Amino acid sequence: MSNYLIVGAAGQLGIELMLALQKKHGPERVVLADIRPVDHPDAALSTFVQCDATDKEAMADLVNQARPAEMYMLVAMLSAKGEASHLQAWGLNMDPLLHSLELAREGHVTKVFWPSSIAVFGPDAPKNCTPQNTGLHPTTVYGVSKVSGELWCQYYHQKFGVDVRSLRYPGLIGFRSQPGGGTTDYAVEAFHAALEGRPLNCYLESTESLPMMTMEDAVRATLELMEADGDALSVRTSYNLQGCSFSPAELVAELRTQGVLLDVLYAPDTRQDIAASWPNSLEDDAAHADWGWQAAHDTPGLVRAMLAGLSQPAVG
Ligand code: SER
């Protein structure tokens, strides 16, 4: 059991973790799984297994084949898409997690990573510097599934000693792939629109501030958490994680400061309601104290990193 298995490897975060784990451990020790192929040239360097993660037997076969020390279970339906098919979102967000926790309980996997989200918070949580521990009353099925998943993680850790670790990611901003079905997706689209010289159709209000983070910071946080001494981890639900925070108007202003003009056509829709129910920023003292978390990118740094990444001749 010395391999690194990414389930949901074709997604926005999966591709980034694939590259980071390939670099760190060698592509031959990374196993990729998804129901669709991984659209990146470096995926060919690692073994790919087609797998429906909602199917327990398929997951059992996968871990038998992959023999993972660590499993990154990334399969999810994000907030906006989840509202269009709430029961499908519930199944997709819970079943793969529970299969992973069971397989770890049975001793087939040593360590599990599972992503949670700022979506665990609801409209009653403090908006600024939202604490690690506050009421979790989300109003989306995505948030409900993430709160439930966090509690399952803690339960399996406390009851069975399963080493499962988790982060509450903010909106993840990367240049290698597009997100899908989230409320924070506009921010990635803003960069593509700006560089292609077309206006952004924005479904949020111009002043709606949300927590965001570069993929570089998110991947580093994930690897740091997975490397941390388990005894030092005081949070076995999921850690708050702050990168930077901005509204659409602030993003446009920072782009302008860096010499890139973007026109925005504002037409707020139901995603504005979701965004309004989430924090503007998070307090992440526990992550800092337990495993030394420190974000590298503020908003200007995030914009610089995205513009530099998107102007590379070939992504990868
Ligand atoms: N990026 C996610 C979403 O917008 C939040 O975790 O749904």
Side-chain angles (χ1 to χ4, degrees), residues 123-155:
D124 60 334
K127 285 279 168 235
N128 296 310
C129 285
T130 308
Q132 175 72 42
N133 293 310
T134 187
L136 301 178
H137 304 124
T139 51
T140 61
V141 69
Y142 180 61
V144 171
S145 65
K146 289 298 182 187
V147 173
S148 309
E150 286 190 5
L151 292 172
W152 276 119
C153 289
Q154 180 175 256
Y155 177 84

PDB file of all heavy atoms in Angstrom, residues 123-155:
ATOM      1  N   PRO A 123     -26.851  31.389   6.315  1.00  0.00           N
ATOM      2  CA  PRO A 123     -27.000  32.836   6.462  1.00  0.00           C
ATOM      3  C   PRO A 123     -26.838  33.336   7.895  1.00  0.00           C
ATOM      4  O   PRO A 123     -26.572  34.513   8.098  1.00  0.00           O
ATOM      5  CB  PRO A 123     -28.431  33.100   5.983  1.00  0.00           C
ATOM      6  CG  PRO A 123     -29.026  31.806   5.617  1.00  0.00           C
ATOM      7  CD  PRO A 123     -28.036  30.720   5.776  1.00  0.00           C
ATOM      8  N   ASP A 124     -26.975  32.448   8.875  1.00  0.00           N
ATOM      9  CA  ASP A 124     -26.876  32.903  10.274  1.00  0.00           C
ATOM     10  C   ASP A 124     -25.441  32.940  10.786  1.00  0.00           C
ATOM     11  O   ASP A 124     -25.181  33.439  11.872  1.00  0.00           O
ATOM     12  CB  ASP A 124     -27.727  32.000  11.177  1.00  0.00           C
ATOM     13  CG  ASP A 124     -27.277  30.549  11.120  1.00  0.00           C
ATOM     14  OD1 ASP A 124     -26.703  30.136  10.088  1.00  0.00           O
ATOM     15  OD2 ASP A 124     -27.475  29.815  12.103  1.00  0.00           O
ATOM     16  N   ALA A 125     -24.491  32.394  10.041  1.00  0.00           N
ATOM     17  CA  ALA A 125     -23.091  32.389  10.515  1.00  0.00           C
ATOM     18  C   ALA A 125     -22.498  33.789  10.365  1.00  0.00           C
ATOM     19  O   ALA A 125     -22.884  34.525   9.448  1.00  0.00           O
ATOM     20  CB  ALA A 125     -22.282  31.381   9.697  1.00  0.00           C
ATOM     21  N   PRO A 126     -21.574  34.181  11.244  1.00  0.00           N
ATOM     22  CA  PRO A 126     -20.923  35.476  11.085  1.00  0.00           C
ATOM     23  C   PRO A 126     -20.298  35.589   9.702  1.00  0.00           C
ATOM     24  O   PRO A 126     -19.686  34.636   9.217  1.00  0.00           O
ATOM     25  CB  PRO A 126     -19.834  35.465  12.163  1.00  0.00           C
ATOM     26  CG  PRO A 126     -20.274  34.443  13.145  1.00  0.00           C
ATOM     27  CD  PRO A 126     -21.082  33.430  12.395  1.00  0.00           C
ATOM     28  N   LYS A 127     -20.460  36.739   9.045  1.00  0.00           N
ATOM     29  CA  LYS A 127     -20.032  36.877   7.636  1.00  0.00           C
ATOM     30  C   LYS A 127     -18.524  37.051   7.496  1.00  0.00           C
ATOM     31  O   LYS A 127     -17.914  36.568   6.548  1.00  0.00           O
ATOM     32  CB  LYS A 127     -20.697  38.111   7.000  1.00  0.00           C
ATOM     33  CG  LYS A 127     -22.149  37.904   6.677  1.00  0.00           C
ATOM     34  CD  LYS A 127     -22.306  37.159   5.358  1.00  0.00           C
ATOM     35  CE  LYS A 127     -23.722  36.708   5.178  1.00  0.00           C
ATOM     36  NZ  LYS A 127     -23.915  35.304   4.945  1.00  0.00           N
ATOM     37  N   ASN A 128     -17.941  37.823   8.434  1.00  0.00           N
ATOM     38  CA  ASN A 128     -16.518  38.129   8.303  1.00  0.00           C
ATOM     39  C   ASN A 128     -15.726  37.341   9.324  1.00  0.00           C
ATOM     40  O   ASN A 128     -16.128  37.214  10.474  1.00  0.00           O
ATOM     41  CB  ASN A 128     -16.283  39.635   8.478  1.00  0.00           C
ATOM     42  CG  ASN A 128     -16.975  40.396   7.360  1.00  0.00           C
ATOM     43  OD1 ASN A 128     -16.814  40.088   6.188  1.00  0.00           O
ATOM     44  ND2 ASN A 128     -17.786  41.380   7.730  1.00  0.00           N
ATOM     45  N   CYS A 129     -14.586  36.785   8.868  1.00  0.00           N
ATOM     46  CA  CYS A 129     -13.767  35.947   9.756  1.00  0.00           C
ATOM     47  C   CYS A 129     -14.637  34.887  10.407  1.00  0.00           C
ATOM     48  O   CYS A 129     -14.591  34.690  11.633  1.00  0.00           O
ATOM     49  CB  CYS A 129     -13.071  36.786  10.806  1.00  0.00           C
ATOM     50  SG  CYS A 129     -11.700  37.679  10.127  1.00  0.00           S
ATOM     51  N   THR A 130     -15.438  34.215   9.630  1.00  0.00           N
ATOM     52  CA  THR A 130     -16.333  33.163  10.143  1.00  0.00           C
ATOM     53  C   THR A 130     -15.515  32.145  10.938  1.00  0.00           C
ATOM     54  O   THR A 130     -14.543  31.589  10.412  1.00  0.00           O
ATOM     55  CB  THR A 130     -17.042  32.460   8.968  1.00  0.00           C
ATOM     56  OG1 THR A 130     -17.643  33.474   8.170  1.00  0.00           O
ATOM     57  CG2 THR A 130     -18.103  31.500   9.460  1.00  0.00           C
ATOM     58  N   PRO A 131     -15.888  31.908  12.200  1.00  0.00           N
ATOM     59  CA  PRO A 131     -15.063  31.012  13.013  1.00  0.00           C
ATOM     60  C   PRO A 131     -15.154  29.549  12.580  1.00  0.00           C
ATOM     61  O   PRO A 131     -16.105  29.146  11.913  1.00  0.00           O
ATOM     62  CB  PRO A 131     -15.615  31.189  14.427  1.00  0.00           C
ATOM     63  CG  PRO A 131     -16.827  32.016  14.331  1.00  0.00           C
ATOM     64  CD  PRO A 131     -17.010  32.482  12.926  1.00  0.00           C
ATOM     65  N   GLN A 132     -14.149  28.783  13.009  1.00  0.00           N
ATOM     66  CA  GLN A 132     -14.141  27.336  12.767  1.00  0.00           C
ATOM     67  C   GLN A 132     -15.411  26.690  13.328  1.00  0.00           C
ATOM     68  O   GLN A 132     -16.050  25.884  12.665  1.00  0.00           O
ATOM     69  CB  GLN A 132     -12.896  26.733  13.445  1.00  0.00           C
ATOM     70  CG  GLN A 132     -12.799  25.223  13.403  1.00  0.00           C
ATOM     71  CD  GLN A 132     -12.475  24.693  12.018  1.00  0.00           C
ATOM     72  OE1 GLN A 132     -11.647  25.234  11.304  1.00  0.00           O
ATOM     73  NE2 GLN A 132     -13.133  23.617  11.629  1.00  0.00           N
ATOM     74  N   ASN A 133     -15.728  27.059  14.552  1.00  0.00           N
ATOM     75  CA  ASN A 133     -16.886  26.449  15.214  1.00  0.00           C
ATOM     76  C   ASN A 133     -18.002  27.468  15.364  1.00  0.00           C
ATOM     77  O   ASN A 133     -17.905  28.382  16.166  1.00  0.00           O
ATOM     78  CB  ASN A 133     -16.481  25.909  16.583  1.00  0.00           C
ATOM     79  CG  ASN A 133     -15.535  24.738  16.440  1.00  0.00           C
ATOM     80  OD1 ASN A 133     -15.794  23.798  15.693  1.00  0.00           O
ATOM     81  ND2 ASN A 133     -14.401  24.807  17.107  1.00  0.00           N
ATOM     82  N   THR A 134     -19.022  27.300  14.560  1.00  0.00           N
ATOM     83  CA  THR A 134     -20.210  28.151  14.642  1.00  0.00           C
ATOM     84  C   THR A 134     -21.371  27.298  14.137  1.00  0.00           C
ATOM     85  O   THR A 134     -21.147  26.177  13.673  1.00  0.00           O
ATOM     86  CB  THR A 134     -20.006  29.438  13.800  1.00  0.00           C
ATOM     87  OG1 THR A 134     -21.105  30.321  14.011  1.00  0.00           O
ATOM     88  CG2 THR A 134     -19.888  29.138  12.314  1.00  0.00           C
ATOM     89  N   GLY A 135     -22.583  27.802  14.237  1.00  0.00           N
ATOM     90  CA  GLY A 135     -23.715  27.017  13.746  1.00  0.00           C
ATOM     91  C   GLY A 135     -23.573  26.734  12.251  1.00  0.00           C
ATOM     92  O   GLY A 135     -23.193  27.618  11.494  1.00  0.00           O
ATOM     93  N   LEU A 136     -23.843  25.491  11.859  1.00  0.00           N
ATOM     94  CA  LEU A 136     -23.766  25.127  10.432  1.00  0.00           C
ATOM     95  C   LEU A 136     -25.184  24.860   9.940  1.00  0.00           C
ATOM     96  O   LEU A 136     -25.731  23.777  10.172  1.00  0.00           O
ATOM     97  CB  LEU A 136     -22.877  23.896  10.248  1.00  0.00           C
ATOM     98  CG  LEU A 136     -21.432  24.029  10.742  1.00  0.00           C
ATOM     99  CD1 LEU A 136     -20.668  22.719  10.537  1.00  0.00           C
ATOM    100  CD2 LEU A 136     -20.695  25.164  10.030  1.00  0.00           C
ATOM    101  N   HIS A 137     -25.770  25.861   9.305  1.00  0.00           N
ATOM    102  CA  HIS A 137     -27.155  25.744   8.830  1.00  0.00           C
ATOM    103  C   HIS A 137     -27.241  26.133   7.368  1.00  0.00           C
ATOM    104  O   HIS A 137     -27.822  27.164   7.008  1.00  0.00           O
ATOM    105  CB  HIS A 137     -28.080  26.635   9.679  1.00  0.00           C
ATOM    106  CG  HIS A 137     -28.004  26.337  11.146  1.00  0.00           C
ATOM    107  ND1 HIS A 137     -27.700  27.277  12.098  1.00  0.00           N
ATOM    108  CD2 HIS A 137     -28.167  25.162  11.826  1.00  0.00           C
ATOM    109  CE1 HIS A 137     -27.692  26.711  13.302  1.00  0.00           C
ATOM    110  NE2 HIS A 137     -27.973  25.431  13.158  1.00  0.00           N
ATOM    111  N   PRO A 138     -26.625  25.316   6.494  1.00  0.00           N
ATOM    112  CA  PRO A 138     -26.589  25.668   5.073  1.00  0.00           C
ATOM    113  C   PRO A 138     -27.967  25.596   4.430  1.00  0.00           C
ATOM    114  O   PRO A 138     -28.839  24.852   4.892  1.00  0.00           O
ATOM    115  CB  PRO A 138     -25.662  24.604   4.481  1.00  0.00           C
ATOM    116  CG  PRO A 138     -25.781  23.440   5.405  1.00  0.00           C
ATOM    117  CD  PRO A 138     -25.997  24.022   6.771  1.00  0.00           C
ATOM    118  N   THR A 139     -28.132  26.342   3.346  1.00  0.00           N
ATOM    119  CA  THR A 139     -29.426  26.373   2.660  1.00  0.00           C
ATOM    120  C   THR A 139     -29.359  25.699   1.282  1.00  0.00           C
ATOM    121  O   THR A 139     -30.312  25.774   0.517  1.00  0.00           O
ATOM    122  CB  THR A 139     -29.898  27.829   2.491  1.00  0.00           C
ATOM    123  OG1 THR A 139     -28.839  28.576   1.897  1.00  0.00           O
ATOM    124  CG2 THR A 139     -30.262  28.448   3.827  1.00  0.00           C
ATOM    125  N   THR A 140     -28.205  25.089   0.949  1.00  0.00           N
ATOM    126  CA  THR A 140     -28.100  24.340  -0.313  1.00  0.00           C
ATOM    127  C   THR A 140     -27.923  22.857   0.001  1.00  0.00           C
ATOM    128  O   THR A 140     -27.398  22.497   1.063  1.00  0.00           O
ATOM    129  CB  THR A 140     -26.866  24.782  -1.131  1.00  0.00           C
ATOM    130  OG1 THR A 140     -25.683  24.521  -0.359  1.00  0.00           O
ATOM    131  CG2 THR A 140     -26.936  26.245  -1.499  1.00  0.00           C
ATOM    132  N   VAL A 141     -28.288  22.005  -0.955  1.00  0.00           N
ATOM    133  CA  VAL A 141     -28.086  20.567  -0.742  1.00  0.00           C
ATOM    134  C   VAL A 141     -26.585  20.256  -0.720  1.00  0.00           C
ATOM    135  O   VAL A 141     -26.131  19.344  -0.006  1.00  0.00           O
ATOM    136  CB  VAL A 141     -28.859  19.727  -1.789  1.00  0.00           C
ATOM    137  CG1 VAL A 141     -28.267  19.883  -3.168  1.00  0.00           C
ATOM    138  CG2 VAL A 141     -28.887  18.269  -1.385  1.00  0.00           C
ATOM    139  N   TYR A 142     -25.821  21.025  -1.459  1.00  0.00           N
ATOM    140  CA  TYR A 142     -24.355  20.864  -1.423  1.00  0.00           C
ATOM    141  C   TYR A 142     -23.846  21.097   0.001  1.00  0.00           C
ATOM    142  O   TYR A 142     -23.078  20.297   0.540  1.00  0.00           O
ATOM    143  CB  TYR A 142     -23.736  21.865  -2.400  1.00  0.00           C
ATOM    144  CG  TYR A 142     -22.226  21.837  -2.498  1.00  0.00           C
ATOM    145  CD1 TYR A 142     -21.546  20.700  -2.914  1.00  0.00           C
ATOM    146  CD2 TYR A 142     -21.481  22.978  -2.207  1.00  0.00           C
ATOM    147  CE1 TYR A 142     -20.173  20.689  -3.028  1.00  0.00           C
ATOM    148  CE2 TYR A 142     -20.100  22.981  -2.327  1.00  0.00           C
ATOM    149  CZ  TYR A 142     -19.451  21.840  -2.729  1.00  0.00           C
ATOM    150  OH  TYR A 142     -18.086  21.834  -2.846  1.00  0.00           O
ATOM    151  N   GLY A 143     -24.303  22.199   0.614  1.00  0.00           N
ATOM    152  CA  GLY A 143     -23.893  22.499   1.982  1.00  0.00           C
ATOM    153  C   GLY A 143     -24.368  21.448   2.969  1.00  0.00           C
ATOM    154  O   GLY A 143     -23.620  21.030   3.858  1.00  0.00           O
ATOM    155  N   VAL A 144     -25.604  20.986   2.799  1.00  0.00           N
ATOM    156  CA  VAL A 144     -26.139  19.945   3.689  1.00  0.00           C
ATOM    157  C   VAL A 144     -25.286  18.677   3.572  1.00  0.00           C
ATOM    158  O   VAL A 144     -24.928  18.039   4.567  1.00  0.00           O
ATOM    159  CB  VAL A 144     -27.620  19.649   3.334  1.00  0.00           C
ATOM    160  CG1 VAL A 144     -28.134  18.426   4.077  1.00  0.00           C
ATOM    161  CG2 VAL A 144     -28.493  20.861   3.636  1.00  0.00           C
ATOM    162  N   SER A 145     -24.908  18.326   2.341  1.00  0.00           N
ATOM    163  CA  SER A 145     -24.102  17.106   2.171  1.00  0.00           C
ATOM    164  C   SER A 145     -22.695  17.304   2.736  1.00  0.00           C
ATOM    165  O   SER A 145     -22.112  16.375   3.288  1.00  0.00           O
ATOM    166  CB  SER A 145     -24.064  16.667   0.702  1.00  0.00           C
ATOM    167  OG  SER A 145     -23.406  17.619  -0.102  1.00  0.00           O
ATOM    168  N   LYS A 146     -22.154  18.516   2.641  1.00  0.00           N
ATOM    169  CA  LYS A 146     -20.804  18.742   3.185  1.00  0.00           C
ATOM    170  C   LYS A 146     -20.819  18.718   4.719  1.00  0.00           C
ATOM    171  O   LYS A 146     -19.916  18.165   5.336  1.00  0.00           O
ATOM    172  CB  LYS A 146     -20.223  20.055   2.652  1.00  0.00           C
ATOM    173  CG  LYS A 146     -19.845  20.003   1.162  1.00  0.00           C
ATOM    174  CD  LYS A 146     -18.764  18.963   0.888  1.00  0.00           C
ATOM    175  CE  LYS A 146     -18.328  18.912  -0.572  1.00  0.00           C
ATOM    176  NZ  LYS A 146     -17.414  17.790  -0.861  1.00  0.00           N
ATOM    177  N   VAL A 147     -21.851  19.306   5.347  1.00  0.00           N
ATOM    178  CA  VAL A 147     -21.945  19.233   6.811  1.00  0.00           C
ATOM    179  C   VAL A 147     -22.069  17.764   7.240  1.00  0.00           C
ATOM    180  O   VAL A 147     -21.376  17.297   8.147  1.00  0.00           O
ATOM    181  CB  VAL A 147     -23.156  20.037   7.349  1.00  0.00           C
ATOM    182  CG1 VAL A 147     -23.331  19.804   8.843  1.00  0.00           C
ATOM    183  CG2 VAL A 147     -22.980  21.522   7.079  1.00  0.00           C
ATOM    184  N   SER A 148     -22.941  17.026   6.560  1.00  0.00           N
ATOM    185  CA  SER A 148     -23.137  15.610   6.910  1.00  0.00           C
ATOM    186  C   SER A 148     -21.845  14.832   6.711  1.00  0.00           C
ATOM    187  O   SER A 148     -21.464  14.009   7.555  1.00  0.00           O
ATOM    188  CB  SER A 148     -24.229  14.984   6.042  1.00  0.00           C
ATOM    189  OG  SER A 148     -25.383  15.790   6.073  1.00  0.00           O
ATOM    190  N   GLY A 149     -21.177  15.095   5.590  1.00  0.00           N
ATOM    191  CA  GLY A 149     -19.914  14.405   5.302  1.00  0.00           C
ATOM    192  C   GLY A 149     -18.862  14.707   6.351  1.00  0.00           C
ATOM    193  O   GLY A 149     -18.133  13.811   6.794  1.00  0.00           O
ATOM    194  N   GLU A 150     -18.794  15.951   6.779  1.00  0.00           N
ATOM    195  CA  GLU A 150     -17.821  16.310   7.830  1.00  0.00           C
ATOM    196  C   GLU A 150     -18.096  15.497   9.101  1.00  0.00           C
ATOM    197  O   GLU A 150     -17.174  15.011   9.757  1.00  0.00           O
ATOM    198  CB  GLU A 150     -17.932  17.799   8.171  1.00  0.00           C
ATOM    199  CG  GLU A 150     -17.359  18.722   7.116  1.00  0.00           C
ATOM    200  CD  GLU A 150     -17.258  20.170   7.610  1.00  0.00           C
ATOM    201  OE1 GLU A 150     -17.549  20.423   8.796  1.00  0.00           O
ATOM    202  OE2 GLU A 150     -16.884  21.032   6.801  1.00  0.00           O
ATOM    203  N   LEU A 151     -19.374  15.371   9.437  1.00  0.00           N
ATOM    204  CA  LEU A 151     -19.715  14.627  10.665  1.00  0.00           C
ATOM    205  C   LEU A 151     -19.406  13.140  10.501  1.00  0.00           C
ATOM    206  O   LEU A 151     -18.949  12.482  11.440  1.00  0.00           O
ATOM    207  CB  LEU A 151     -21.185  14.856  11.030  1.00  0.00           C
ATOM    208  CG  LEU A 151     -21.485  16.290  11.477  1.00  0.00           C
ATOM    209  CD1 LEU A 151     -22.994  16.501  11.636  1.00  0.00           C
ATOM    210  CD2 LEU A 151     -20.767  16.634  12.781  1.00  0.00           C
ATOM    211  N   TRP A 152     -19.623  12.613   9.289  1.00  0.00           N
ATOM    212  CA  TRP A 152     -19.245  11.217   9.039  1.00  0.00           C
ATOM    213  C   TRP A 152     -17.734  11.033   9.192  1.00  0.00           C
ATOM    214  O   TRP A 152     -17.273  10.022   9.737  1.00  0.00           O
ATOM    215  CB  TRP A 152     -19.679  10.770   7.639  1.00  0.00           C
ATOM    216  CG  TRP A 152     -21.095  10.295   7.548  1.00  0.00           C
ATOM    217  CD1 TRP A 152     -22.092  10.827   6.786  1.00  0.00           C
ATOM    218  CD2 TRP A 152     -21.672   9.165   8.217  1.00  0.00           C
ATOM    219  NE1 TRP A 152     -23.247  10.112   6.950  1.00  0.00           N
ATOM    220  CE2 TRP A 152     -23.025   9.087   7.820  1.00  0.00           C
ATOM    221  CE3 TRP A 152     -21.184   8.221   9.117  1.00  0.00           C
ATOM    222  CZ2 TRP A 152     -23.886   8.089   8.290  1.00  0.00           C
ATOM    223  CZ3 TRP A 152     -22.047   7.229   9.591  1.00  0.00           C
ATOM    224  CH2 TRP A 152     -23.368   7.176   9.174  1.00  0.00           C
ATOM    225  N   CYS A 153     -16.973  11.993   8.686  1.00  0.00           N
ATOM    226  CA  CYS A 153     -15.507  11.894   8.801  1.00  0.00           C
ATOM    227  C   CYS A 153     -15.117  11.829  10.279  1.00  0.00           C
ATOM    228  O   CYS A 153     -14.341  10.966  10.697  1.00  0.00           O
ATOM    229  CB  CYS A 153     -14.825  13.100   8.145  1.00  0.00           C
ATOM    230  SG  CYS A 153     -14.941  13.083   6.345  1.00  0.00           S
ATOM    231  N   GLN A 154     -15.675  12.746  11.059  1.00  0.00           N
ATOM    232  CA  GLN A 154     -15.335  12.782  12.487  1.00  0.00           C
ATOM    233  C   GLN A 154     -15.772  11.488  13.176  1.00  0.00           C
ATOM    234  O   GLN A 154     -15.061  10.932  14.017  1.00  0.00           O
ATOM    235  CB  GLN A 154     -16.003  13.991  13.144  1.00  0.00           C
ATOM    236  CG  GLN A 154     -15.696  14.099  14.618  1.00  0.00           C
ATOM    237  CD  GLN A 154     -16.268  15.373  15.210  1.00  0.00           C
ATOM    238  OE1 GLN A 154     -15.538  16.325  15.459  1.00  0.00           O
ATOM    239  NE2 GLN A 154     -17.562  15.397  15.431  1.00  0.00           N
ATOM    240  N   TYR A 155     -16.946  10.985  12.795  1.00  0.00           N
ATOM    241  CA  TYR A 155     -17.464   9.743  13.396  1.00  0.00           C
ATOM    242  C   TYR A 155     -16.525   8.559  13.110  1.00  0.00           C
ATOM    243  O   TYR A 155     -16.163   7.800  13.998  1.00  0.00           O
ATOM    244  CB  TYR A 155     -18.861   9.471  12.823  1.00  0.00           C
ATOM    245  CG  TYR A 155     -19.490   8.184  13.297  1.00  0.00           C
ATOM    246  CD1 TYR A 155     -20.169   8.126  14.508  1.00  0.00           C
ATOM    247  CD2 TYR A 155     -19.403   7.023  12.525  1.00  0.00           C
ATOM    248  CE1 TYR A 155     -20.751   6.945  14.941  1.00  0.00           C
ATOM    249  CE2 TYR A 155     -19.978   5.838  12.942  1.00  0.00           C
ATOM    250  CZ  TYR A 155     -20.656   5.801  14.154  1.00  0.00           C
ATOM    251  OH  TYR A 155     -21.227   4.629  14.579  1.00  0.00           O
TER     252      TYR A 155
END
